[in-house]
Amino acid sequence: MDTRNAAGAVAAVTATTRQGAVRGTLEHGIAVFRGIPYAAAPVGALRFAAPAPPAPWDGVRDATAFGPTAPKPPYEEPFATLLDDPVVPGEDCLNLNVWTPEPGPGARLPVMVWIHGGALTRGSSAVPVYDGSAFARDGVVLVSLNYRLGVAGYGLFPDAVPNRGLLDQISALEWVRDNIAGFGGDPDRVTVFGESAGAISTGVLLASPRAAGLFRQAVLQSGAPEALPRPHVRTMVRRMAARLKVPATAAAFAALPPQALLAAQTVVQRRSSPLLGGPAFGIVEDDDAVPGDPLERLVTGRAAADVPLLMGWTSEEYRLWLAPTGLLRHMDRLGPVTLAFGALRGRATSAEIRSARAARPDAGAGEVVGQLLTDRLLRDPLRRLAAAPRRATAHLYEFAWPSAVPGLGSCHALELGFVFDTLTLPGATSLTGPGAPQPLADAMHAAWTSFATTGTPGWAPWHRSGSPHRFTHPA
């Protein structure tokens, strides 16, 4: 049902969920609903519990503004300049957003569900670059969601269910299954996609029996399925407990103010890096949602063998972490020490290090190690998954266009504004710099839309002897 203003233009639009009706806005012909709860607010007894169903409401609930974001520390410089990460205060952070060209049952449009990145400690669905208008413009219902982050989502406690942030994502997918038809979407044509930690999450969801049947296809951008060793995650909780002077239990943490937890988390997570390693918050194996190594479950065909995949990376992922901080130059100066670290972190032999150096004779030690670690942590697992004897197709890509921002090159997260066709927004231009090519965004966005709609992005599936499809300077 539409609501019209005095001039007769459509100003608002409503849709119905199982919990009640919601009112969104019509923006340039696209119906947008923001901040719809898919689970109860994780407060009180639910703070470190599995997500619970949201309470129903009477009347029409306002869904015109982004809902609260999960508690998270701000990015420190220089990342705060490069990565937009708005904060929306409030406790009801388990919410999602919907962009649709045809609200109401009957349209049966393909659906894409976006899981944001941020090392499972930062990010949200309110990041401007994730605006779903372009997907809706092109006939896809776009859903984006928030989930619990950091210690709230992934802290490992003896008295709490693990992987709460992952369970939040599953709960959101169940909401999509149960409600998306009312927004014009087809619950049988759902594609889950994510970048970085969102791609890792997507890979784990592929392997999880709890998520089986909730989506048909998946896109992994710059992240491979993985579960961290439990000691790595437990160490983060113990370090926080030591700073807070409380036992390392969910009960003790739940008794503290959220801001105290966030302050302690901010300090302890400074020692971890997605590329360089160390203890971190992350997904772990458990007896329910993650019963075994997710990559092994996928490559052996025990899970998601019939789910088509689109996967890829940027050419110089490592530059986001190493170049802006000056660490890349420092690693170059250290030379042999850097190479020895790369061999240890990347589990590489001396022969492999020599081969990596020979392949890049003009590169410094930092770049050699950066590419080696990108291969070990990202490219090799995704190639292995693409080459596995699965029944469904797998398509690989490489994003190779270099940023105009000095030093970034084709870095991690650079492709996001191209995928969402949001190059003009600040969250995109901070990474791309001026003059990002719109034709390249047209091509990349069209490939994702085509994959969601037809099951193919427009190029042949991966073969062991082939190369990934390259997105680079437009012709």
Side-chain angles (χ1 to χ4, degrees), residues 1 39 46 70 94 99 110 120 126 134-135 163 179 206 217 246 285 293 299 308 338 342 350 441 466:
M1 181 181 70
L46 297 179
L94 301 185
W99 284 259
L120 301 178
F135 280 108
N163 299 318
N179 294 282
L206 276 166
Q217 302 182 141
V246 299
E285 294 181 23
D293 180 82
V299 299
T338 296
S350 298

Side-chain angles (χ1 to χ4, degrees), residues 2 10 13 25-33 98-112 132-143 180 182-186 449 453:
D2 296 335
V10 176
V13 62
T25 56
L26 201 69
E27 303 172 9
H28 306 289
I30 302 300
V32 186
F33 302 84
V98 182
W99 284 259
T100 176
E102 297 186 44
R108 308 294 289 187
L109 297 171
V111 180
M112 297 189 76
S133 298
F135 280 108
R137 176 199 68 202
D138 295 330
V140 173
V141 177
L142 192 285
V143 179
I180 204 62
F183 295 79
D186 185 344
T449 302
T453 304

Side-chain angles (χ1 to χ4, degrees), residues 81-353:
T81 299
L82 296 170
L83 303 172
D84 199 2
D85 196 13
V87 172
V88 181
E91 296 181 325
D92 201 0
C93 65
L94 301 185
N95 58 74
L96 52 75
N97 320 294
V98 182
W99 284 259
T100 176
E102 297 186 44
R108 308 294 289 187
L109 297 171
V111 180
M112 297 189 76
V113 179
W114 172 249
I115 302 177
H116 70 79
L120 301 178
T121 58
R122 295 182 174 93
S124 78
S125 65
V127 173
V129 75
Y130 304 151
D131 185 280
S133 298
F135 280 108
R137 176 199 68 202
D138 295 330
V140 173
V141 177
L142 192 285
V143 179
S144 62
L145 61 103
N146 292 332
Y147 55 95
R148 280 174 285 184
L149 303 170
V151 69
Y154 298 94
L156 191 56
F157 298 99
D159 55 340
V161 61
N163 299 318
R164 295 171 297 280
L166 185 75
L167 296 179
D168 293 343
Q169 296 166 11
I170 294 172
S171 182
L173 288 170
E174 291 171 340
W175 184 97
V176 170
R177 176 197 61 198
D178 296 339
N179 294 282
I180 204 62
F183 295 79
D186 185 344
D188 294 323
R189 300 174 67 197
V190 175
T191 298
V192 175
F193 71 132
E195 184 267 347
S196 192
I200 293 171
S201 300
T202 300
V204 177
L205 290 169
L206 276 166
S208 173
R210 286 285 304 274
L214 293 176
F215 55 96
R216 178 182 290 186
Q217 302 182 141
V219 183
L220 282 68
Q221 299 172 216
S222 300
E226 70 172 16
L228 294 184
R230 281 177 167 255
H232 278 52
V233 183
R234 194 174 290 115
T235 293
M236 297 293 280
V237 172
R238 288 174 176 169
R239 287 176 177 175
M240 286 184 62
R243 293 194 64 84
L244 295 164
K245 297 181 172 55
V246 299
T249 64
F253 276 45
L256 297 173
Q259 288 306 314
L261 292 182
L262 197 58
Q265 178 184 310
T266 300
V267 174
V268 303
Q269 73 183 43
R270 287 173 184 161
R271 307 185 198 179
S272 64
S273 164
L275 185 68
L276 302 181
F281 292 110
I283 299 165
V284 297
E285 294 181 23
D286 62 32
D287 295 329
D288 179 26
V290 193
D293 180 82
L295 181 61
E296 291 303 319
R297 284 179 56 83
L298 292 170
V299 299
T300 58
R302 286 179 289 163
D306 293 313
V307 178
L309 302 176
L310 172 59
M311 306 180 290
W313 50 80
T314 69
S315 294
E316 299 170 298
E317 299 272 0
Y318 62 95
R319 284 189 171 272
L320 179 64
W321 296 286
L322 302 185
T325 59
L327 187 56
L328 191 60
R329 293 192 300 274
H330 183 61
M331 293 172 73
D332 285 344
R333 287 194 296 269
L334 290 177
V337 175
T338 296
L339 295 174
F341 166 79
L344 180 64
R345 168 75 171 138
R347 300 183 298 277
T349 65
S350 298
E352 287 173 320
I353 291 290

